[in-house]
Amino acid sequence: MTAHILVVEDDESFIEELKQIIAASGGPTIPTFVSNREDAVAKLESGFFDFAILDLKIPTAAGTTDFDPEHGKYVFQHVRKVSPGTKILVLTGSPSDDFIAPLLAHKHDADIWSEGGKVGTVEFLKKIELDQAPEKISRVVTAIHALAEIELHTNGLNLSTGEDRLVRIFSKTFKAVVCSVHPIGTGKSGARPLRLQMYDQTGAPIRDVVAKLSELAKMQDEDARYEEHVTLLDGAATPRKMKLLEFGAGAMAGLFYQLANGHDASMFKTMAEEDALAAKAVAATADALAGWSDGKNQERRSIASIRGQWVSDERAAKLQAEYGLDWAAEFENRMIQTRWCCVHGDLHGENILVSPEGGVLVIDYGDVGFGAAAYDPMTLELSAVLQANPTLGPAWPTADACRQWHDLEAYLMGCPIPEFIRACRAWSEKLMVGRRELAACAYSYLLRQLKYPDTDKDRILALLEGVHGCWGDS
């Protein structure tokens, strides 16, 4: 496992000494040397670094002589901004430590590479004490090299360096020696959901895990949503959070959840193989999430405020204009009764894992928050015809069927998964105050899907016609 090191230093004598120290650090390394603020920022924007060694008193650009500690501080802050998981060693030649205190505010103590003990994510070293640098640099290189002890089976997946780091660090935390990595779903959030199967040195399975990997801010946000909302639900159908990894992977962080044994198929896969089992799993999902909606009061809200939880006003106006939804502005101004409560927010068929008996595990909590109660079952129902899954092709729903969405029996003519669709609609009807809420939730989800470049726009627009027709029946 190769350690990627960024060195920001302008003094040639120190550069040569650091090159020798890094070369003798006890493991493979790829050091990148830059001498000024501009080049450092450019490297940080384009590369991955496990470790950054920063001189503070540097110039702004090559060929300039405006040496100032402020330029080094800028690079420090930029590392924290674009690569917050990167450990930093600050080199200073100044006899004064006055400027160190503000930088120490960014220091954390963490077991960055699962070594079994915490280290500082930010350290300082005076240049007159450079004899201490070999130990500090060697410790980082050795810790990263030790991650190679984890045998990773990627099963054809192409993991980025940061993703690879996170999986190995997590596996090492639980003393796994082998970890097999499998994809889960094809979400549109930019996060990478993975399924990990870990094994100990005897070959025995340790634990199946759901990992979600993305930029640090997103993972911290999902962690907070989990603590606020998901912990209130029945733990049998929601995975227990195991760990949030914030350091060791550059710009990336990871959330890891315990996966119950036997939940090997997604809802999409289940409906492709057995419609009745998928319908049973929908009912189990409704029961699992009932703690969010049971006993919640109704509210009077505009359709625009319901849509606004998922699509901004500015984006909605652009989509309405681009796709000729002339009726949408007046539609959004209408007030309806709704049950306002916590919802999953992204309950498509890949975010529900199903057991052979129809039990479920609901995963991925990046969008958990408040919304209209019927939004989750509407998302699940409509995801089956809009997101990539193994069930449906171009034959159903036809454009004519989509326009009959508000008439369930007409909509289901020729449907290959009628029991699943009926179960979703029954769940919606259980939660909704009336059909106007049903229309508002479906409209919000469909407008959200128009944002993405790879969705079937003709199908969405035809479904929107069917949703608009729902209002006339309500």
Side-chain angles (χ1 to χ4, degrees):
M1 190 65 58
T2 302
H4 297 258
I5 304 173
L6 175 67
V7 182
V8 185
E9 173 61 68
D10 68 290
D11 188 315
E12 287 295 335
S13 63
F14 279 106
I15 290 172
E16 287 306 314
E17 192 162 356
L18 287 168
K19 283 182 178 179
Q20 294 177 26
I21 292 171
I22 292 171
S25 59
T29 61
I30 298 178
T32 300
F33 288 83
V34 295
S35 62
N36 59 80
R37 186 185 75 185
E38 285 189 2
D39 288 348
V41 168
K43 293 295 183 183
L44 286 164
E45 295 283 355
S46 61
F48 173 91
F49 297 101
D50 297 290
F51 190 28
I53 302 172
L54 310 179
D55 180 16
L56 291 182
K57 195 173 183 180
I58 57 173
T60 54
T64 63
T65 57
D66 53 344
F67 297 90
D68 195 305
E70 290 301 318
H71 303 320
K73 292 180 193 177
Y74 182 91
V75 175
F76 179 96
Q77 299 292 349
H78 201 67
V79 175
R80 302 300 305 141
K81 177 183 177 183
V82 304
S83 188
T86 297
K87 180 179 169 68
I88 301 174
L89 174 63
V90 177
L91 297 177
T92 173
S94 172
S96 171
D97 293 336
D98 294 344
F99 57 83
I100 291 179
L103 302 186
L104 279 173
H106 299 273
K107 177 181 180 294
H108 298 81
D109 291 322
D111 188 0
I112 302 175
W113 296 286
S114 291
E115 298 174 272
K118 292 183 177 181
V119 296
T121 58
V122 177
E123 293 186 303
F124 290 83
L125 184 65
K126 292 181 180 179
K127 287 187 174 181
I128 59 173
E129 300 171 336
L130 200 63
D131 59 321
Q132 298 178 28
E135 185 278 330
K136 292 182 180 294
I137 294 172
S138 178
R139 180 171 184 179
V140 173
V141 173
T142 300
I144 294 165
H145 183 54
L147 294 176
E149 296 171 5
I150 308 297
E151 184 177 346
L152 211 59
H153 299 165
T154 59
N155 300 294
L157 286 177
N158 183 23
L159 299 181
S160 70
T161 303
E163 291 168 344
D164 182 280
R165 291 284 193 274
L166 289 167
V167 171
R168 291 179 188 273
I169 292 169
F170 180 81
S171 298
K172 190 175 180 182
T173 301
F174 291 90
K175 297 180 172 57
V177 297
V178 175
C179 180
S180 186
V181 186
H182 305 270
I184 297 180
T186 54
K188 300 181 183 299
S189 67
R192 187 78 177 269
L194 299 170
R195 184 181 187 134
L196 312 181
Q197 295 171 306
M198 301 188 299
Y199 304 87
D200 67 18
Q201 61 185 358
T202 72
I206 298 174
R207 173 60 62 189
D208 279 12
V209 174
V210 172
K212 190 172 179 185
L213 314 179
S214 188
E215 62 189 63
L216 176 62
K218 286 184 178 179
M219 293 298 90
Q220 289 174 329
D221 178 68
E222 178 167 333
D223 183 54
R225 291 171 188 262
Y226 181 95
E227 293 296 330
E228 182 178 0
H229 300 296
V230 181
T231 54
L232 301 176
L233 296 175
D234 183 354
T238 55
R240 178 171 65 86
K241 185 183 71 176
M242 300 178 71
K243 201 170 188 66
L244 169 64
L245 290 180
E246 300 176 273
F247 305 104
M252 300 197 72
L255 266 170
F256 299 83
Y257 302 95
Q258 186 178 105
L259 181 60
N261 293 330
H263 292 75
D264 296 323
S266 71
M267 181 71 84
F268 283 153
K269 186 174 186 295
T270 301
M271 71 175 77
E273 296 175 353
E274 190 176 349
D275 186 27
L277 182 62
K280 183 179 179 180
V282 172
T285 305
D287 290 341
L289 302 185
W292 281 338
S293 56
D294 284 353
K296 298 300 185 290
N297 294 327
Q298 297 180 21
E299 292 186 15
R300 192 76 173 161
R301 283 184 170 266
S302 68
I303 293 177
S305 72
I306 294 171
R307 180 268 305 150
Q309 295 297 105
W310 317 109
V311 183
S312 69
D313 291 345
E314 180 181 3
R315 189 64 181 271
K318 289 181 179 179
L319 290 169
Q320 291 161 7
E322 181 178 356
Y323 291 101
L325 303 177
D326 299 332
W327 51 269
E330 189 273 334
F331 179 77
E332 288 200 5
N333 284 334
R334 293 169 175 171
M335 302 295 294
I336 66 167
Q337 288 291 107
T338 180
R339 182 170 288 106
W340 198 252
C341 62
C342 186
V343 296
H344 182 278
D346 194 23
L347 199 68
H348 59 73
E350 292 288 352
N351 281 339
I352 302 171
L353 304 180
V354 184
S355 73
E357 298 77 30
V360 298
L361 193 70
V362 179
I363 63 172
D364 197 343
Y365 305 109
D367 290 316
V368 169
F370 289 97
Y375 187 79
D376 280 345
M378 272 295 94
T379 296
L380 183 56
E381 176 190 325
L382 291 170
S383 74
V385 300
L386 292 181
Q387 297 201 21
N389 69 78
T391 307
L392 303 168
W396 189 89
T398 64
D400 286 341
C402 289
R403 295 185 184 99
Q404 295 297 316
W405 178 87
H406 57 284
D407 182 342
L408 185 60
E409 295 309 315
Y411 177 60
L412 289 178
M413 292 293 293
C415 175
I417 48 169
E419 292 188 56
F420 169 81
I421 298 292
R422 289 184 192 280
C424 290
R425 198 67 66 94
W427 181 17
S428 294
E429 291 171 354
K430 180 180 178 181
L431 293 178
M432 70 190 190
V433 176
R435 286 178 62 80
R436 293 180 177 185
E437 181 180 0
L438 187 74
C441 290
Y443 166 81
S444 300
Y445 175 78
L446 291 168
L447 202 69
R448 185 181 182 182
Q449 295 305 299
L450 276 180
K451 296 190 306 180
Y452 302 116
D454 58 344
T455 51
D456 186 334
K457 303 301 187 296
D458 290 338
R459 181 169 284 181
I460 293 171
L461 293 173
L463 283 164
L464 280 167
E465 290 184 49
V467 169
H468 193 209
C470 184
W471 186 274
D473 292 347
S474 60

